[in-house]
Amino acid sequence: MLCTGRLGGLAARASALLPGRARPGGLGAGLWAREVSTSWSPVGAAFNVKPQGFRLDLFGERQGLFGVPELSAPEGFRIAQENALRKSDLLVARACSTPPGPQTVLIFDELSDALCRVADLADFVKLAHPEPAFREAAEEACRSIGTVVEKLNTNVELYQSLQKLLADKKLVDSLDPETRRVAELFMFDFEISGIHLDKEKRKRAVDLNVKILDLSSRFLMGANFPNKIEKHLLPEHIHQNFVLAGEHVIVDGLHAEAPDDLVREAAYKIFLYPNAGQLRCLEELLSNRDLLAKLVGYSTYSHRALQGTIAKNPETVMEFLEKLSDKLSERTLKDFEMIRGMKMKLNPQNSELMPWDPPYYSGVIRAERYNIEPSLYCPFFSLGACMEGLSILFNELFGVSLYAEQTAKGEVWCDDVRKLAVVHESEGLLGYIYCDFLQRADKPHQDCHFTIRGGRLKEDGDYQLPVVVLMLNLPPSSRNSPTLLTPGMMENLFHEMGHAMHSMLGRTRYQHVTGTRCPTDFAEVPSILMEYFANDYRVVNQFARHYKTGQVFYAALDQIYHGKHPLRRSTTDILKETQEKFYGLPYVPNTAWQLRFSHLVGYGAKYYSYLMSRAVASMVWKECFLHDPFNRATGERYRREMLAHGGGREPMLMVQGK
């Protein structure tokens, strides 16, 4: 999943959960070569040892988060925010006074970068930092920057400075393709924000956008908030599977891979139990999105959200989902029959197939089907071994290696966070990946990629290195062994590393289209392609992947929620109806899965992107990597034709050139 660019407009382009280049006048690899540090250590060992804290720098000066000096304390967010806003004021004045030309686009991108570097970092910190003071300060920074962004997206004078460029055919024809596309993307952001409206309606659009930001933040927090139940209401023998707090059991997730059926059932019913406040928040979020879409000229929010994507409009999405559902229906029934048979075999007293069963029993089926011998093909992999395997794979495909780097005191938010340097054999240092992989209290139960800083060519000719965070929820190491991954965990790790490498391997001129900042239904292609590598025996000697039959249901539900308003019935009734049509397993009374559907925020009206990206990734895998998943020439071509461009090129052009 991507979590970045939620602000839209002059802040980063859409897409945690995505997005150098060999082209005339482009950025040659040699220009950006950086020396390899001798302080880097092997990646595998770094992830298989227990965190030792900051013992090497006990008395040193505390640095800020991600090395940003101001962020050594929560109050630093206010300073960083004020600095960004001062810089943005200067850049707006400069954009409005500069004659139209390529420099206009560079100024717009620098403006976008100044705001993103605070907003994107704060977007991560407000979710993941263990200290409430940091989370609250980051939340305030997000809201402040978000408000400014929405005002800039309706700033007529700023809009006119870009319009003068795009209205001059001679000037437009003189722009290189990437610069022209970035200019058009900025113009597109003005248009969907209501720049064409009168002053009063533009202010209304800004107010709605700010309200949507607030509601989105509230919904995300609520989607990850645990539920609790009195101990005596659960059988005592399953208490140990959950967190205990006095006389209560805390349930903070679905426990989908727990082997005990009762544990999974209890987690499902308790975690998904409806919350009235969360339900009101969702209804208000959907209603305000609909109001905004209609105000700026769209019939539904889905029509607005899908502008600029591969799908183009919700009609195409629903046609795609209906056809996919029809084609998968027979296979889905067979899958469920196999899962039902396995459940009957292992638990004949309770063999009815329920929604909490497929993830666990499909894993059991895979292990049995491929006759996995623990001594030869252990279904668990240490985190260090998986990271070393990823480094080897990236080295084979791209000439890239991953190295662990010691962090300074205050640079990371938890002592088990690891910092990786991504190093190319000839280009040198490409960027940094911070790996926040292990479970901890109050950490959201979602696997995400966050852009902290986008790559771009700076005015002084240097290249701004990208910085990202990968957030997973893996179990900590035990006294006797390092963190061990199930097949599902390993697949998620590969998926998120696909996002990270998309960010690392691009060398776009503009941060507005760097890495994963591209159309959402293309942004998931590199990450889903990595799942194919994760399930290829030549790469990890693992078994084949079970298709996620629920995804069509989730995507259809997302489209209906963002379709015509007012909704004809409650969001829970719509969930039940859609589940029966697209999924095939019964709705469980007194549950409200949609209230935990965090993708409704970052992927509102775009959840279908996983499925469309899977179709593209499948094609790329079969045509490029199926024969030899380690082929360097193919890897270089994949980088050159797809990864390098971020959002700076039309997705279909990249797919056709794969």
Side-chain angles (χ1 to χ4, degrees):
M1 172 188 176
L2 283 173
C3 290
T4 183
R6 291 199 183 106
L7 297 179
L10 280 165
R13 288 289 302 162
S15 303
L17 262 205
L18 266 200
R21 169 142 35 164
R23 54 174 169 73
L27 311 180
L31 290 175
W32 316 117
R34 296 167 190 253
E35 292 184 8
V36 175
S37 169
T38 56
S39 67
W40 292 330
S41 59
V43 67
F47 283 87
N48 272 356
V49 297
K50 286 184 178 291
Q52 299 298 317
F54 304 106
R55 64 193 186 286
L56 298 180
D57 195 22
L58 289 175
F59 305 104
E61 184 178 349
R62 182 179 176 87
Q63 292 196 13
L65 290 170
F66 299 101
V68 178
E70 298 91 334
L71 300 183
S72 59
E75 300 74 30
F77 271 104
R78 181 180 52 79
I79 299 170
Q81 167 190 318
E82 289 172 353
N83 290 341
L85 295 181
R86 274 196 298 270
K87 186 173 182 180
S88 70
D89 286 342
L90 293 173
L91 288 167
V92 168
R94 190 173 154 203
C96 294
S97 62
T98 299
Q103 190 66 20
T104 304
V105 184
L106 288 171
I107 297 169
F108 266 75
D109 191 65
E110 192 174 353
L111 174 58
S112 175
D113 184 64
L115 296 169
C116 282
R117 289 180 66 168
V118 177
D120 286 348
L121 192 157
D123 202 33
F124 167 72
V125 172
K126 74 176 184 181
L127 282 177
H129 202 288
E131 297 179 29
F134 266 101
R135 294 199 300 269
E136 290 164 11
E139 173 72 38
E140 178 56 35
C142 278
R143 192 178 195 284
S144 176
I145 297 290
T147 301
V148 170
V149 166
E150 298 307 339
K151 288 179 179 177
L152 290 175
N153 285 338
T154 54
N155 182 313
V156 175
E157 190 178 2
L158 189 62
Y159 160 74
Q160 289 172 342
S161 70
L162 184 64
Q163 188 184 44
K164 289 174 186 174
L165 168 63
L166 291 174
D168 189 323
K169 186 177 184 306
K170 187 176 180 181
L171 273 178
V172 170
D173 290 343
S174 71
L175 301 177
D176 66 87
E178 185 180 13
T179 300
R180 179 173 179 173
R181 176 164 171 79
V182 172
E184 290 169 347
L185 288 173
F186 278 122
M187 178 58 74
F188 171 74
D189 291 330
F190 278 119
E191 290 169 351
I192 67 169
S193 297
I195 195 68
H196 55 286
L197 303 173
D198 61 40
K199 184 177 180 179
E200 184 179 336
K201 288 182 178 177
R202 287 200 307 274
K203 183 181 183 303
R204 172 69 174 147
V206 170
D207 292 342
L208 279 170
N209 268 307
V210 172
K211 190 172 184 180
I212 287 168
L213 284 175
D214 288 342
L215 288 166
S216 296
S217 182
R218 276 174 48 199
F219 184 80
L220 271 181
M221 295 297 180
N224 291 293
F225 198 79
N227 276 343
K228 65 181 180 180
I229 189 171
E230 293 179 15
K231 274 184 183 179
H232 70 87
L233 295 175
L234 288 181
E236 189 173 346
H237 74 276
I238 70 169
H239 287 181
Q240 63 187 14
N241 294 276
F242 305 104
V243 176
L244 303 179
E247 293 303 308
H248 289 87
V249 171
I250 307 297
V251 180
D252 57 4
L254 293 175
H255 293 252
E257 297 194 47
D260 189 323
D261 287 359
L262 189 56
V263 170
R264 297 194 310 278
E265 179 180 356
Y268 190 96
K269 290 181 175 178
I270 297 168
F271 189 64
L272 299 183
Y273 191 79
N275 177 288
Q278 182 76 342
L279 183 59
R280 285 193 298 272
C281 182
L282 174 60
E283 290 170 346
E284 198 173 349
L285 174 61
L286 296 176
S287 175
N288 278 275
R289 282 177 169 173
D290 182 65
L291 288 172
L292 174 64
K294 286 173 177 162
L295 177 65
V296 298
Y298 294 89
S299 57
T300 70
Y301 182 82
S302 187
H303 283 88
R304 178 180 184 268
L306 294 176
Q307 286 285 299
T309 63
I310 294 175
K312 305 294 186 189
N313 57 64
E315 292 77 20
T316 301
V317 171
M318 286 307 296
E319 183 181 356
F320 168 70
L321 294 176
E322 293 278 1
K323 286 183 177 179
L324 189 59
S325 180
D326 290 343
K327 287 185 177 294
L328 286 174
S329 60
E330 186 176 341
R331 180 173 174 177
T332 300
L333 288 174
K334 288 180 180 178
D335 285 348
F336 283 151
E337 282 305 312
M338 283 193 293
I339 295 170
R340 188 175 286 108
M342 179 57 71
K343 184 174 183 181
M344 186 175 293
K345 177 180 174 181
L346 297 181
N347 189 3
Q349 291 80 28
N350 183 22
S351 59
E352 182 184 1
L353 190 61
M354 298 302 291
W356 50 82
D357 290 326
Y360 171 70
Y361 284 108
S362 61
V364 175
I365 290 169
R366 288 182 300 197
E368 183 180 86
R369 178 184 298 170
Y370 290 93
N371 192 27
I372 296 171
E373 291 289 337
S375 61
L376 297 176
Y377 300 100
C378 178
F380 296 92
F381 285 79
S382 75
L383 176 56
C386 290
M387 294 303 297
E388 195 65 47
L390 282 163
S391 185
I392 292 168
L393 176 63
F394 295 147
N395 189 262
E396 292 280 353
L397 290 176
F398 311 118
V400 166
S401 298
L402 307 176
Y403 295 96
E405 179 168 302
Q406 177 70 30
T407 55
K409 185 169 70 170
E411 183 181 352
V412 295
W413 47 100
C414 190
D415 66 1
D416 58 24
V417 174
R418 297 288 181 261
K419 180 183 181 182
L420 296 184
V422 181
V423 184
H424 190 272
E425 60 190 22
S426 62
E427 298 171 41
L429 181 61
L430 297 181
Y432 289 106
I433 304 171
Y434 288 83
C435 301
D436 186 356
F437 284 172
L438 303 183
Q439 298 168 352
R440 64 174 176 270
D442 298 327
K443 182 179 177 181
H445 275 254
Q446 56 190 90
D447 297 340
C448 298
H449 163 283
F450 295 83
T451 296
I452 302 299
R453 183 177 73 199
R456 70 181 180 105
L457 179 60
K458 296 191 289 187
E459 280 193 296
D460 62 6
D462 199 4
Y463 198 79
Q464 177 172 292
L465 294 180
V467 176
V468 305
V469 173
L470 296 188
M471 187 170 74
L472 303 175
N473 276 275
L474 303 177
S477 58
S478 67
R479 179 178 298 179
N480 300 318
S481 68
T483 292
L484 299 177
L485 275 62
T486 65
M489 292 173 186
M490 188 187 69
E491 187 177 276
N492 287 348
L493 170 63
F494 273 60
H495 178 103
E496 300 304 335
M497 282 299 294
H499 286 318
M501 294 308 292
H502 197 178
S503 294
M504 295 295 113
L505 290 173
R507 276 300 181 267
T508 53
R509 184 180 304 176
Y510 305 99
Q511 72 83 37
H512 196 62
V513 292
T514 187
T516 59
R517 289 173 177 163
C518 57
T520 312
D521 51 9
F522 180 74
E524 292 292 338
V525 171
S527 55
I528 291 174
L529 182 62
M530 282 300 296
E531 294 178 20
Y532 285 88
F533 285 96
N535 290 296
D536 189 285
Y537 70 94
R538 294 163 295 181
V539 179
V540 289
N541 284 332
Q542 263 288 9
F543 38 74
R545 177 182 184 280
H546 181 269
Y547 188 81
K548 293 178 181 173
T549 51
Q551 227 163 39
V552 177
F553 153 51
Y554 306 149
L557 185 70
D558 176 43
Q559 286 298 308
I560 295 168
Y561 282 168
H562 290 98
K564 290 183 178 180
H565 275 244
L567 297 174
R568 66 187 187 282
R569 59 189 73 187
S570 74
T571 58
T572 302
D573 286 340
I574 292 171
L575 168 80
K576 180 180 178 181
E577 179 184 286
T578 309
Q579 182 169 331
E580 290 171 353
K581 178 178 180 181
F582 286 99
Y583 193 31
L585 291 181
Y587 164 76
V588 178
N590 296 315
T591 63
W593 178 85
Q594 78 275 20
L595 303 184
R596 300 291 187 175
F597 192 13
S598 59
H599 284 74
L600 287 175
V601 172
Y603 275 50
K606 296 179 182 179
Y607 192 80
Y608 78 94
S609 299
Y610 284 102
L611 292 163
M612 189 161 284
S613 292
R614 185 169 299 283
V616 176
S618 174
M619 179 176 64
V620 174
W621 171 260
K622 289 174 183 175
E623 295 190 16
C624 300
F625 295 107
L626 181 60
H627 177 67
D628 179 6
F630 298 105
N631 188 282
R632 177 64 178 273
T634 306
E636 292 286 2
R637 182 185 171 207
Y638 171 53
R639 178 187 182 186
R640 183 175 65 249
E641 297 291 345
M642 295 184 77
L643 297 181
H645 297 283
R649 194 177 179 196
E650 281 285 349
M652 288 310 297
L653 295 177
M654 291 188 273
V655 172
Q656 291 163 2
K658 63 192 181 302

